[in-house]
Amino acid sequence: MSNILNLNQTSRDRVEILGRAVNESGGATPLYLERISAGFPSPADDYIETALDLNTYLVRNPAATFMVRVSGDSMSGAGIHDGDILVVDRSEEPVPGKIVVAVLDGELTVKRLVRKDGQIFLAPENPRYRPIAVAAEQDLHVWGVVSGVVRRL
Amino acid sequence: MRDFYLMVDCNNFYASCERVFDPSLEGRPVVVLSNNDGCVIARSNEAKALGIAMGEPAYKREDFYARSGVRVLSSNYALYGDMSARVMRTLGQFCAEAEIYSIDECFLMLRGLDSASLLDTAREIRATVKKWTGIPVGVGIARTKTLAKVANRLAKKGDGARLLEDEDDIDRVLHSTEPGDVWGIGRRSARFLAACGVRTALDLKRRPDDWVRRHLTVTGLRTVLELRQIPCIALEDAPPPARSLVCSRSFGTRVESLESLEEAVSAYVQRAAEKLRRKGLVAGTVQVFLETNRFQPGPQYCASRGRALPAPTADTLVLHGPALQILREIHKPGYKYQKAGVILLDLAPAGQRQLSFLEPSGEEKTRRDALMRVMDRVNTMHGQGTLTLAASGLGRKEWHMRQERRSPRYTTSWAELPVVC
């Protein structure tokens, strides 16, 4: 299925086994559909609940979490590439340093929120693009804070 | 300390949902059209200010809309339904006792707070819902649900939160409220009250109990007591599980041929069965109906017939046969049909159904259930109708809904997520 990358992920050559993955949330087969056989119950039955659900890993506040798709390469330095899906949490505080989705001229854009010398910037993470200085009189509207990236390989 | 009811209501809900994902709609007049892009069913404040009326047929004023920069959108219920669930879930943070009253309204109950804390809570609710979901809401607070509704109307005109508690304040407000604008007073009662000289909600509040009971029954008396801050209408618990499930649409154009109707009914059965499975239910009876448009000239006909199934099921393929059979029985040639639909009845939880010897064997059943799961998964991942029975036809059909200006299903379809640059 999908691969999950944390923002600011550093390359590692070690992997850690976390547990059994579940392929869809709530998709477990109800028991009554299965053949019921007499005899000892499976000793594994008690452990079925421990399946891993990507939603619980990626989504802290479901009501406030939205997915958006990235177009372009302005954030490639942060590990965000063209076609990636971003997990956006609107309930998180957009403090400087966070990667945010902001509304700029009626469009949604993803940039890092940076404060430098008292001035707020929407900064791309690609040397080919320039930071956007947000003037005091300009109405910068942060739509949500990016909390994860989802990419299928 | 007393209980207080909060009525939380989303402002211009459909237009607000659209604006969350398309910020260029902010500050502009926006209207949303009914199924088949017919009439205006939702307006932003800017559209209201232009004098666009609820229910007006959009095609008649296309030039005016274009001149005034009105953005016209088809309804996008996948989006509105998901956003509604998010708003309700957010409200659940504030209180355990809640009643979802409609797609954009919810009653909450709070205990043991003074006026100042109630208003603080209302402001916090407004700020949180706005931040988390992007939807602006208004909050009306009072000791009864009926007064909370009245307070909510005021909240919308004011700063978004309004408490009605002080008796003189309530009377002033009721004095400028028409009886017909009170929650629970229907149009017929409103006409009757006007004829009796009851001109304001305050007049109604002051009518004697026995008069109200005699003319407006006990339901009306409850409303009047609620206007006097005496709680009579409790929060309703979770609605009882659905007893029936309907999938029906008006066609984009009027349809004559049986073949087209078969395709439409086939598509509706598939949709209905999908909803049934999502709710974990099985149906015992299939019903199909057909109708012409009684507002159009020409011969009229409508018919409906149901059929009990040998065993309750949520299997599309099992439901499909009887549905098409019924359609062929009730269909009469020579009419221009406007609408058809499938109704599933005798619903029961899938786990509690009675077993029957007529059901497919265990192995067959397991395979069929697996097939249904695959269909549902493919259609969830790649959009409705990706995997479909050939009987519902392929490509664009005359019976399809007209939805020429629908925005993307931003929150429910991987293929239609909002794009950020």
Side-chain angles (χ1 to χ4, degrees), chain A residues 61-84:
Chain A
N61 182 347
T65 301
F66 295 83
M67 313 267 186
V68 302
R69 196 176 292 276
V70 176
S71 159
D73 59 357
S74 71
M75 291 300 282
S76 55
I80 295 174
H81 301 288
D82 190 46
D84 282 359

Side-chain angles (χ1 to χ4, degrees), chain B residues 223-337:
Chain B
T223 300
V224 171
L225 289 172
E226 287 236 321
L227 292 178
R228 299 182 196 149
Q229 299 207 72
I230 301 164
C232 296
I233 306 172
L235 274 194
E236 279 184 37
D237 297 330
R243 307 297 299 271
S244 68
L245 194 157
V246 186
C247 183
S248 77
R249 300 279 151 81
S250 296
F251 304 133
T253 55
R254 292 192 290 159
V255 172
E256 274 193 82
S257 77
L258 178 61
E259 197 185 312
S260 289
L261 291 170
E262 281 175 349
E263 288 177 355
V265 166
S266 167
Y268 300 159
V269 177
Q270 292 181 57
R271 186 81 186 102
E274 209 175 284
K275 283 200 229 170
L276 198 62
R277 291 193 291 273
R278 195 178 311 151
K279 292 171 190 250
L281 298 170
V282 289
T285 302
V286 188
Q287 191 177 322
V288 172
F289 70 87
L290 252 187
E291 59 194 48
T292 53
N293 184 347
R294 60 201 161 88
F295 298 110
Q296 294 278 333
Q300 303 290 323
Y301 172 69
C302 69
S304 151
R305 191 171 296 171
R307 178 147 310 154
L309 298 162
T313 183
D315 187 321
T316 306
L317 302 176
V318 177
L319 294 163
H320 195 257
L324 286 191
Q325 232 170 13
I326 297 170
L327 172 70
R328 287 175 204 132
E329 288 165 18
I330 61 176
H331 172 261
K332 278 194 193 167
Y335 292 97
K336 290 188 158 86
Y337 294 98

